[in-house]
Each structure stands twice: as C-alpha cells, then as structure tokens.
Amino acid sequence: MNVSALQETDSSDRDVPLGFPVKNGKERAGSYDPMSLKISGLIEPGEASKVFLQKHFPGVSTDEWNDWKWQIRNSFTSLGQLSSIVELSGTEKQVLLSPGVHLPLRITPYYASLLSDPVNGYAIRKAVIPGVQELSLTPGEQTDPLNEEANTPVPHLVHRYPDRVLFLATGFCSAYCRYCTRTHMVAKEKVHFNRNWEPAIEYIRQHTEVRDVLISGGDPLTMPEKMLRNLLTELRSIAHVEIIRIGTKVPVVLPQRITNSLTRLLKQFHPLMISIHFTHPAELTPETAEACARLADAGIPLGSQTVLLKGINDDIDVMKKLMQGLLKIRVRPYYLYQCDPIPGSSHFRTPISKGIEIIQGLRGFTSGYAVPNYVIDTPGGGGKIPLLPEYFQGKENGNVILKNYEGKIFYYPDAE
Ligand SMILES: *Cc1c(COP(=O)(O)O)cnc(C)c1O
C-alpha cells in the first residue's frame, strides 16, 4: 500500500473494488451487512438517526451527518442547544448553568439521537447530562482517585505496572461521560492542545521493560489522522514495544469517525488492539455495529470496557444483553469497572455486592466469552483488583470445596 496516498486525506473512497457501482462520486451507500462492508464508504445513518436528523437538523444532508467532523462541530455543548432536543428538568437546567460543574457538556448529535429512545433514553441520558448530585461532594471522593499523578514520570504518561504504560495522548473526547475517571485532565484546554509527546516517547524508548503501550486520554481516535500516524509511527519504531492498544469511546459516540481511511491507517501498526467503552445495550446501533465490523475486519482485536453505573446498567438482564450484544458485533467483553469515586459521583456508584451479583448472574448462565473481569481500580493507585463471587469455599480432607454457578457444592481432590 502506498503510504503517501494516505497522507492528509480522510476521504473514504479509495479502496472501492473495481466494478462496484459508485454513486455521486462517493462509494455506494453502506449497510451493516458484513458482505457489503468492503464497498461502503460512509457509515450510513440507522432509522433512529434518520428520524432525528429530519426532526432536529432540517436541511442537513445525510452526507453531512455521516461526516465525523460535522458531528464534532455540531455537538451539543450548552443548555440552550440541549434543551432544543430533550426536555430538561428544572434541576438539570440549574446544573447546566452552575459554575460548579467540573466537566463541560459535550454530546454528539449521533449520540443525542439515542437520548430520545422511549425505553432506554433515560439510562443513556444520565451518563452524559449532568445531574444535580454532580454538585455535591461525598466522603472519599477525589479529583484523581487513582493517583495517576504519582505514577507520572513525564507528562502524558502513567507507568504503574511493570511492563506497560498508559499514554494520555489528548484531553479531548467527543462526548463527556459524567462519571469520567479523568475529570482532572480531560476537557482542559491546555491538555487538548499540548501534544508535546517527545518526553513520553523518549521515556518509553529508554525503558526497555515497556512492551505494551495503551494510548488513551481523552479519546485518541478524535485526533487528526496525521497526528495519530505520527504517534503510532514513533511507538512502532521502538523495538521493545510489542503491542499497542487504544482506549476509545469513538465507535459508540461517534461511529462516523471509523472511516475506511482510519482503519487502513490503524492496520499498518499491528499488533494493535482496541478497547471500546460501552455502557448500555441501547448503544448497539447499526452505525456502531458497522464501525466495529470495520475495525474487526482490519484484524484489530476488540475488547470492551464498561463502568458499572447505578440506574444505567446495574442489572443482570441489562448487562447480559450488553455483553451478548457485544459478542454479536465481534467485541469481547474485557473489563467491568467499579465506578471510581470522582467528585460528585455518588449517584453513579453501586455497592460492590451489585457487581458481584452481576458476575454471578452471567458466569455459567451465558457464554464465558460474555463474562467480563469485574475490577476495582483502587483509590490511591494500587491498580486494578479483580473481584469474584465466592466460588472457592475452602478445603476439607484434601479436597477443595467449590460452589458452582447454580450454588451446588462440589469437591476437587487437590494435589499434595
Ligand atoms: C488499566 C491500566 C493499564 C492496563 O491494564 P491491563 O490490565 O493490562 O489492561 C495500564 N496502566 C494503567 C495506569 C492502567 O490504569
């Protein structure tokens, strides 16, 4: 593949197989039928998006809607804009006008279209529209609960575990989740635009024990392709970096960003994996399914990360539907996180027993592939600690006592 052909361009019409019909100078409209993926250019709107587009953006063409930059430019960032698409309560309006809100509002028009869903709209809405509880601190809440500062040897880098680092490439996200663990750095102008990565790259070059680099932020897939390519090229030039991972929410809140041009760029840097932040089964739309199919077709293993959130997904059936739905779009559930105690997060946090109950409700009852690792990222910087239901019940006469998913007791003769 001619790499220079990829420079600067974000147009999606480059690898149309010969002989396929081209409409209006663009590739043929896509659907998420896997057989048509190779020829689809833009990610076409699903039914819900079409209805939303006609209602709230009359005069805007689907080509504009399908353009990820249009989605970013037209994101909802103020009370005035938001109140034109959803009915806000008195307290929601009050919060949006309050100077005490620590994280700005940002919702893409695409993601906003999901808020109107009569069944699931409420759950999704709570994740992105600030609630009044955001303004009140409760005991134990901190701005940097994971104490990432303490493990930051150079700007943009968190080195906590022996063989891998977290590279915080940007402070920008296309949507701000109200429970974001990095409220101390996301959406801060100085972090958005400070892309002096040299010290971080140099640190990785010097530390030969770093074999895994996880690029996160903010959302790295919101960066211009040129910037992303530069970063990936630098990292790939370091011989001891074996794998590169990207943490993103883009396929969920801005699936239009997963252009063929982006996937062609990403697949030049294998082995590369992507962890996608999913929250609720209502996010499993045709657009997101196609975005994930494109990434998977580029040979990128896809994992999910989900934060356990009260009133959103703290329910066995909702979580099972999400995990099974992820497998259908070729995403392997990876982590279920206990919600971090960031300031104003009390309305999101469930007791630990809820997470354990959910894992218990999945393990054995559905595909093992659909069961994520439930972890607490410990306040103070201890790292991720897995939590499991009590399957191991102790030892008796050389036998290990085990409880199965149905609650029945079994014995295993343990080796001496
Ligand atoms: C989560 C995390 C990682 C990656 O952890 P894995 O368990 O390998 O996915 C690396 N560094 C930091 C600081 C993290 O928080």
Side-chain angles (χ1 to χ4, degrees):
M1 158 115 242
N2 177 0
V3 177
S4 68
L6 293 170
Q7 304 286 321
E8 300 311 325
T9 178
D10 205 11
S11 73
S12 309
D13 54 1
R14 287 194 180 269
D15 67 354
V16 186
L18 286 176
F20 279 100
V22 172
K23 215 166 66 181
N24 306 327
K26 287 210 160 65
E27 290 170 47
R28 205 175 71 176
S31 74
Y32 65 110
D33 169 4
M35 295 311 290
S36 75
L37 287 172
K38 294 280 181 295
I39 56 168
S40 61
L42 299 171
I43 288 185
E44 289 294 313
E47 283 313 310
S49 293
K50 278 186 200 153
V51 171
F52 185 84
L53 172 60
Q54 273 164 14
K55 184 164 171 205
H56 296 290
F57 293 93
V60 170
S61 70
T62 49
D63 278 0
E64 286 174 280
W65 173 270
N66 297 340
D67 174 357
W68 69 277
K69 289 176 183 163
W70 183 91
Q71 288 280 336
I72 288 191
R73 277 198 306 276
N74 290 279
S75 289
F76 299 95
T77 57
S78 72
L79 167 64
Q81 294 165 343
L82 195 60
S83 56
S84 69
I85 58 141
V86 284
E87 187 131 357
L88 295 168
S89 69
T91 52
E92 280 174 330
K93 286 183 189 160
Q94 193 191 320
V95 180
L96 282 166
L97 292 172
S98 157
V101 176
H102 53 273
L103 188 67
L105 178 79
R106 179 168 276 282
I107 306 171
T108 57
Y110 161 76
Y111 200 72
S113 74
L114 308 182
L115 306 181
S116 331
D117 182 283
V119 184
N120 298 307
Y122 172 76
I124 304 233
R125 167 184 175 136
K126 188 178 171 189
V128 288
I129 300 180
V132 69
Q133 301 90 335
E134 234 177 79
L135 299 175
S136 45
L137 272 177
T138 61
E141 294 180 346
Q142 302 162 48
T143 40
D144 177 14
L146 310 181
N147 200 8
E148 292 188 332
E149 293 289 341
N151 293 119
T152 298
V154 288
H156 299 289
L157 207 73
V158 184
H159 191 182
R160 165 164 302 149
Y161 298 104
D163 68 342
R164 55 209 188 280
V165 291
L166 178 64
F167 197 123
L168 302 173
T170 175
F172 184 80
C173 266
S174 50
Y176 292 124
C177 309
R178 307 319 302 175
Y179 49 87
C180 178
T181 191
R182 297 212 180 85
T183 45
H184 62 284
M185 64 84 69
V186 302
K188 305 275 189 287
E189 297 260 312
K190 78 178 194 319
V191 194
H192 276 201
F193 302 112
N194 172 7
R195 301 240 173 79
N196 178 17
W197 295 324
E198 217 23 69
I201 289 166
E202 201 43 43
Y203 179 93
I204 297 170
R205 219 183 278 286
Q206 302 292 327
H207 286 74
T208 53
E209 73 275 21
V210 176
R211 42 163 291 287
D212 175 2
V213 178
L214 170 50
I215 307 171
S216 182
D219 198 319
L221 294 188
T222 60
M223 296 194 298
E225 284 174 24
K226 192 176 171 193
M227 221 167 234
L228 196 55
R229 185 183 311 105
N230 288 345
L231 177 57
L232 291 168
T233 305
E234 288 282 350
L235 293 174
R236 264 286 159 257
S237 76
I238 304 172
H240 56 267
V241 172
E242 295 172 4
I243 61 170
I244 299 176
R245 298 192 259 174
I246 292 176
T248 179
K249 196 174 180 168
V250 153
V252 178
V253 289
L254 185 64
Q256 296 78 9
R257 188 352 163 191
I258 311 300
T259 57
N260 289 338
S261 156
L262 179 72
T263 53
R264 273 196 302 274
L265 184 156
L266 294 174
K267 73 185 197 185
Q268 296 171 47
F269 296 94
H270 277 313
L272 179 107
M273 301 171 183
I274 295 187
S275 289
I276 309 171
H277 176 171
F278 279 94
T279 300
H280 192 276
E283 295 172 338
L284 304 171
T285 63
E287 287 97 320
T288 291
E290 173 152 348
C292 290
R294 288 179 179 192
L295 294 168
D297 280 358
I300 302 170
L302 303 177
S304 72
Q305 333 196 57
T306 298
V307 181
L308 178 59
L309 297 165
K310 195 197 278 179
I312 298 182
N313 58 21
D314 59 337
D315 176 274
I316 295 175
D317 289 336
V318 170
M319 200 62 85
K320 194 192 281 174
K321 206 168 159 206
L322 175 60
M323 299 299 142
Q324 292 175 339
L326 287 172
L327 290 179
K328 281 163 69 178
I329 60 169
R330 302 157 74 187
V331 178
R332 159 73 157 110
Y334 182 41
Y335 277 135
L336 174 64
Y337 290 106
Q338 177 64 17
C339 183
D340 293 326
I342 60 147
S345 60
S346 60
H347 56 308
F348 284 125
R349 284 181 281 122
T350 66
I352 303 296
S353 56
K354 178 53 81 175
I356 291 183
E357 177 195 320
I358 286 174
I359 296 300
Q360 208 158 10
L362 295 175
R363 173 63 66 194
F365 292 97
T366 189
S367 320
Y369 268 126
V371 186
N373 302 294
Y374 174 45
V375 295
I376 301 188
D377 213 336
T378 46
K384 298 178 182 71
I385 297 182
L387 295 171
L388 277 174
E390 297 276 312
Y391 297 120
F392 176 83
Q393 300 263 309
K395 259 180 114 165
E396 194 179 271
N397 307 327
N399 285 318
V400 172
I401 310 168
L402 299 165
K403 196 193 230 176
N404 84 345
Y405 73 101
E406 299 162 304
K408 294 181 187 151
I409 297 294
F410 294 85
Y411 298 90
Y412 175 83
D414 203 8
E416 288 295 305

